[in-house]
Amino acid sequence: MFSIQEELERLSQKYRFFASKEAFKQSLKFQLQEKFRVEENKRFHDYLIDLWVEEPESGRQYAICLMNKLARVTIKQNGQTIELKHHGAQDQGRYDFLAQVEKLERITMGRRNVYGIVVLLTNDHLYWTEPMRPNTVDCEFRIHENRIITGELKWQERASAGTKENRDAPIFIKGRYQLKWHHYSTINQDKHGEFRYVAVHVGDVYS
């Protein structure tokens, strides 16, 4: 049976990090093809899905959306020095992650054997750490450890136009999801040397 946690554990043994979302997607795709039918960049009811995975035996289908958000870190590997760039804009990253959850709820609702999974892989601890200040402009979009996401989520009124650009619409989450972060890899002992991921499973409550 398909398990995103098992697949990511396997993947971490081969690839400790990815410099881009595309590299993450391609590596996971090639691994999944060993056991499942996989379609990349599938269009489903006007929505773009990174990886569409089907279990041949059960017929279950999984719409998988991936994110790879980076914090700056220097990696020594095989005699080479690799610099991972800093993405920043964690508030927008959180919004985008939850927008993927909303999208997959729309796709899976009322459809049997169709499930959704959103995965965010990052070495930026600001995603999984609970903030010190509770009243940030993106407080409703926080995705730290044990956070429960449900209902209408929106920016605080003082959020700037630049922050909300192309992201101004509220997000509506019909389900209820408690977020759990998992260790992916440790590349060094620097501040941003650990990668973790969070995966939200969508669709079971609607099947």
Side-chain angles (χ1 to χ4, degrees):
M1 184 174 177
F2 179 78
S3 166
I4 193 65
Q5 186 168 351
E6 290 180 6
E7 295 298 337
L8 291 176
E9 286 178 0
R10 288 181 58 210
L11 195 67
S12 69
Q13 295 172 12
K14 295 178 285 186
Y15 306 101
R16 296 186 301 156
F17 66 93
F18 302 97
S20 67
K21 171 187 169 178
E22 187 63 23
F24 181 24
K25 180 173 66 173
Q26 293 301 322
S27 298
L28 182 58
K29 171 190 171 183
F30 292 140
Q31 176 175 289
L32 293 176
Q33 285 176 327
E34 298 172 6
K35 298 183 291 183
F36 308 102
R37 299 189 184 99
V38 182
E39 184 176 347
E40 180 183 354
N41 298 333
K42 179 182 175 67
R43 284 283 178 183
F44 188 79
H45 293 270
D46 296 325
Y47 294 108
L48 182 65
I49 306 301
D50 291 319
L51 297 176
W52 191 274
V53 180
E54 181 178 347
E55 287 180 334
E57 295 182 1
S58 69
R60 283 188 170 215
Q61 299 174 82
Y62 298 87
I64 301 177
C65 295
L66 303 172
M67 293 180 64
N68 184 52
K69 305 297 287 186
L70 300 175
R72 184 175 291 109
V73 67
T74 301
I75 303 169
K76 304 289 186 179
Q77 181 172 275
N78 299 327
Q80 295 182 322
T81 299
I82 302 171
E83 299 278 353
L84 295 186
K85 62 182 180 180
H86 189 69
H87 286 160
Q90 294 89 355
D91 49 4
Q92 295 179 339
R94 297 180 187 104
Y95 180 98
D96 293 344
F97 176 78
L98 295 171
Q100 298 294 311
V101 177
E102 179 187 45
K103 175 177 75 175
L104 291 183
E105 284 194 335
R106 293 173 180 172
I107 288 174
T108 59
M109 188 182 301
R111 293 187 171 92
R112 295 187 62 186
N113 283 342
V114 177
Y115 305 86
I117 304 173
V118 188
V119 179
L120 168 60
L121 176 65
T122 183
N123 66 325
D124 190 338
H125 68 277
L126 294 179
Y127 282 101
W128 65 72
T129 303
E130 186 170 358
M132 298 295 292
R133 295 187 298 118
N135 59 343
T136 56
V137 296
D138 67 332
C139 60
E140 294 190 13
F141 302 127
R142 289 285 176 163
I143 56 173
H144 52 265
E145 177 72 7
N146 288 323
R147 174 75 194 276
I148 294 175
I149 55 171
T150 188
E152 180 181 3
L153 308 172
K154 59 185 182 301
W155 297 102
Q156 299 299 296
E157 291 184 1
R158 66 183 185 281
S160 69
T163 295
K164 298 188 296 183
E165 185 176 5
N166 299 321
R167 298 175 173 87
D168 56 335
I171 294 173
F172 295 90
I173 305 295
K174 296 182 181 297
R176 180 180 173 87
Y177 311 94
Q178 185 171 17
L179 302 181
K180 294 292 184 181
W181 285 84
H182 304 274
H183 174 78
Y184 180 79
S185 67
T186 299
I187 53 177
N188 58 39
Q189 299 304 312
D190 292 347
K191 179 180 179 181
H192 298 130
E194 181 189 11
F195 277 82
R196 298 187 189 185
Y197 73 89
V198 62
V200 173
H201 295 72
V202 178
D204 296 287
V205 295
Y206 303 120
S207 60

